[in-house]
Amino acid sequence: QGYFVYDSKKSGAITISHLRFGPDPVHAPYLIARASFVACHQWSFLDRYDVLSYAEPGGTFLLNSSHGPDQVWDALPWEVQDQIVEKHLRLFVIDAYSVAKANGMGTRINTVMQTCFFAISGVLPREEAIGHIKTAIKKTYSKRGDEVVQKNYDAVDDTLSHLCEVAVP
């Protein structure tokens, strides 16, 4: 089940996706108050929003960052560091823009970040999730040609080697 909150601005806008997963249909007509998985696709949001306010203790935080796994901790705002430590969050980092660019997708990072989510979350077994992602890619982008489909496939295949868990001090 998903609810989406969109910002009205076009440039630098934020979208908050409230997603629920389960083996049975989910019927919960309200936004999520506590999330076991939070992802931030834009580094600049860390200074502008309380990205981790919804994160529940013991949850997971996925961050798109140009800072590698060895540098990202020191680059994070102290408020974000504090919440990660206080809530005992697992921290994962990927430079999604580099992966997208290297695979000919420009700045389109949705495929990269989606692959990270399914690889980390455990909602589905990893290989099954990747199979479903590739099926969706074929359905969504086949009208744009085989080259576009292949670029997305390549990005999926390249993502996991660039996804890193960061040791939280």
Side-chain angles (χ1 to χ4, degrees):
Q1 179 187 49
Y3 289 106
F4 304 92
V5 180
Y6 299 97
D7 193 334
S8 61
K9 299 176 209 153
K10 290 191 183 245
S11 178
I14 186 171
T15 299
I16 300 173
S17 303
H18 295 257
L19 305 174
R20 292 182 177 89
F21 294 88
D24 300 313
V26 178
H27 303 288
Y30 50 87
L31 299 178
I32 293 171
R34 290 283 167 231
S36 60
F37 191 101
V38 174
C40 180
H41 298 205
Q42 304 292 333
W43 181 272
S44 64
F45 290 168
L46 296 176
D47 291 320
R48 295 177 17 207
Y49 304 103
D50 186 0
V51 173
L52 295 175
S53 64
Y54 291 107
E56 70 180 11
T60 300
F61 180 38
L62 168 62
L63 178 61
N64 176 27
S65 171
S66 61
H67 302 283
D70 297 333
Q71 299 87 27
V72 70
W73 184 259
D74 292 333
L76 287 169
W78 71 265
E79 296 91 351
V80 175
Q81 290 178 351
D82 190 48
Q83 286 188 71
I84 291 170
V85 170
E86 184 179 299
K87 294 181 178 187
H88 304 283
L89 301 178
R90 290 178 69 197
L91 173 61
F92 290 83
V93 66
I94 187 165
D95 187 346
Y97 285 112
S98 289
V99 174
K101 184 177 179 180
N103 288 283
M105 296 176 54
T107 59
R108 293 174 199 88
I109 63 168
N110 58 325
T111 298
V112 174
M113 296 301 287
Q114 180 184 53
T115 302
C116 291
F117 167 77
F118 281 105
I120 298 167
S121 70
V123 170
L124 291 172
R126 186 178 284 190
E127 292 306 314
E128 180 181 345
I130 288 172
H132 287 300
I133 291 168
K134 287 185 175 182
T135 298
I137 287 169
K138 180 75 170 169
K139 182 178 179 183
T140 303
Y141 297 114
S142 61
K143 293 175 189 165
R144 295 186 181 173
D146 291 340
E147 184 179 348
V148 173
V149 171
Q150 190 58 52
K151 286 178 183 180
N152 278 271
Y153 285 174
D154 293 345
V156 168
D157 293 339
D158 198 25
T159 293
L160 299 182
S161 65
H162 291 88
L163 177 62
C164 298
E165 185 165 6
V166 176
V168 175

